[in-house]
Amino acid sequence: MTTTSPILPTELEDLVELFDVAPTDSPTPDDEREAALASPRFGTVFTDHMARITWRKDTGWIDRRIEKYGPLQLDPATAVLHYAQEIFEGMKAYKHADGSVWTFRPDANAARFARSAHRLALPALSVDDFIGSIAALVRTDLAWVPGGEDSSLYLRPFMFASEAFLGVRPATEVEYLCIASPVGPYFAGGVKPVSIWVSQDYHRAAPGGTGDAKCGGNYAASLLPQTEAQENGCDQVCFLDSTTNTFLEELGGMNVFVVKADGTVHTPELTGSILEGVTRSSILQLVTDRGHGVVERRIPLTEIVDGLADGSITEIFACGTAAVVTPIGRLAGGSFDHQVGGGEPGELTMAIRTELTDIQYGRTPDRHGWMRRLA
Ligand code: COI
């Protein structure tokens, strides 16, 4: 895997000042914004502004700006519409009790964004521009950061090929944007166990493909199997490896963990076709801190199915920025259908969820130095 080591950002104020702010002339009325913040549904309402930077092959990154949130005008020949040269990230801004606003491990997201850019032949955005754009946007739309339990401002940085041409080659014009949306829990039922359908007919990624890049194409490939999961009464799809169709990989947009009765915690190892989740790596740390044996390895589906039948697997959970830590209460596939932990949230699952969110919302000391103040 190609890794790009993040250059440590300089002072945040200096980064924010690089962005020209053109405030919207039609801000959302206070009562409408307050109504949206009171019951935010995932990814349905957007703030008044967006961050934007333009790249051209001959100029590099130029025109750092915060502008009115609104539709983009694209030529029908715009490269992203044809060849999906696009990447994105998912992050959150959390309001702490004293009103300050923080984000979680932005340097890890910035580094992954650079790795994804490399794989999709897009230009790398510096850690400074990545973090500066987020801070500038959050400061402009500060009134949009929700304060409630489990609520946050979801941040969606993304980059796409904006050049209009039909040849198949890396674009010489690219746009980077970051938009923001006040959100509550990702799953409509809140923090309740979800059901998972293991797809045996479709795969998300293959060796040498784009599975470890956060690009839209991976998510497009998950939509039909996700529909199949729903047709089988499940909330989410889980993919197996495409070479042998036997090892667990990840869900449609989340990593997966398995807890055994002996207290060990297992997660699929990063083989190149699995996304290296920031939440995943944080959970590996938190679980290790608690003294659990932690194993990153190839996990055969048969081991999970047998372990659920004989009780040696006690908990399974999904994780990601959007899903945080979500208990899995049922695992089904063509020839099996098992409850996990009697369909109830697992003890370790919920303890890790509480610990992680306590760090993110500033309710417990941030002993790993993961939080970064934005405003
Ligand atoms: C996230 O967890 O932030 C993602 O980008 C995944 C997507 C399913 C919402």
Side-chain angles (χ1 to χ4, degrees), residues 9 16 27 33 61 78 83 87 97 125 127-128 133 141 152 159 171 183 192 199 234 243 253 260 270-272 300 344:
V16 170
R33 190 188 61 243
W61 291 105
T78 301
Y83 310 123
I87 58 168
L125 187 77
V127 179
D128 281 358
S133 69
D141 281 336
S152 57
M159 186 195 291
V183 296
K192 293 208 190 98
S199 174
C234 291
T243 309
K260 293 209 169 190
L270 302 173
T271 52
E344 295 300 318

Side-chain angles (χ1 to χ4, degrees), residues 49-319:
H49 298 89
M50 57 191 188
R52 190 162 183 175
I53 318 180
T54 298
W55 181 87
R56 298 195 203 298
K57 199 172 179 191
D58 53 350
T59 61
W61 291 105
I62 50 169
D63 293 343
R64 290 159 184 81
R65 57 207 191 270
I66 300 293
E67 61 186 33
K68 177 179 176 165
Y69 180 95
L72 305 173
Q73 198 180 22
L74 296 181
D75 188 293
T78 301
V80 68
L81 301 178
H82 302 270
Y83 310 123
Q85 197 189 1
E86 183 270 353
I87 58 168
F88 68 96
E89 276 299 322
M91 302 167 69
K92 284 176 174 170
Y94 307 89
K95 188 177 271 183
H96 287 190
D98 64 358
S100 58
V101 177
W102 300 68
T103 194
F104 183 71
R105 305 187 69 184
D107 46 338
N109 289 92
R112 186 173 66 186
F113 199 56
R115 292 199 297 275
S116 299
H118 176 75
R119 181 62 185 86
L120 272 287
L122 284 162
L125 187 77
S126 71
V127 179
D128 281 358
D129 274 338
F130 185 87
I131 295 180
S133 69
I134 286 161
L137 178 60
V138 168
R139 286 172 186 209
T140 308
D141 281 336
L142 205 51
W144 283 91
V145 185
E149 177 101 353
D150 282 334
S151 295
S152 57
L153 187 65
Y154 186 79
L155 301 165
R156 173 52 62 87
F158 63 103
M159 186 195 291
F160 66 92
S162 56
E163 185 184 355
F165 74 107
L166 293 183
V168 181
R169 60 159 171 77
T172 61
E173 292 169 23
V174 167
E175 289 292 310
Y176 163 79
L177 287 99
C178 182
I179 57 174
S181 169
V183 296
Y186 181 66
F187 289 103
V191 190
K192 293 208 190 98
V194 296
S195 49
I196 301 297
W197 174 259
V198 181
S199 174
Q200 274 150 330
D201 297 326
Y202 299 107
H203 296 102
R204 172 186 170 277
T210 57
D212 62 352
K214 201 163 173 67
C215 62
N218 293 340
Y219 294 78
S222 77
L223 297 179
L224 181 61
Q226 170 65 25
T227 305
E228 183 190 77
Q230 280 158 350
E231 283 164 2
N232 284 282
C234 291
D235 300 304
Q236 265 287 326
V237 62
C238 175
F239 292 103
L240 300 176
D241 76 289
S242 62
T243 309
T244 68
N245 210 28
T246 55
F247 298 107
L248 238 56
E249 290 223 313
E250 65 177 274
L251 310 189
M254 288 151 239
N255 294 121
V256 64
F257 280 77
V258 176
V259 184
K260 293 209 169 190
D262 65 6
T264 56
V265 178
H266 305 247
T267 194
E269 70 178 344
L270 302 173
T271 52
S273 53
I274 295 176
L275 191 76
E276 188 174 350
V278 177
T279 311
R280 174 188 180 278
S281 82
S282 311
I283 289 171
L284 286 172
Q285 182 65 59
L286 295 180
V287 169
T288 305
D289 293 351
R290 284 171 175 255
H292 289 263
V294 178
V295 197
E296 292 179 76
R297 64 183 174 91
R298 308 200 85 184
I299 306 175
L301 174 65
T302 48
E303 181 185 323
I304 304 294
V305 174
D306 293 349
L308 290 173
D310 67 20
S312 60
I313 289 177
T314 51
E315 304 179 32
I316 307 181
F317 63 85
C319 69

Side-chain angles (χ1 to χ4, degrees), residues 38-52:
S39 56
R41 268 203 310 126
F42 188 87
T44 54
V45 174
F46 298 93
T47 66
D48 285 327
H49 298 89
M50 57 191 188
R52 190 162 183 175

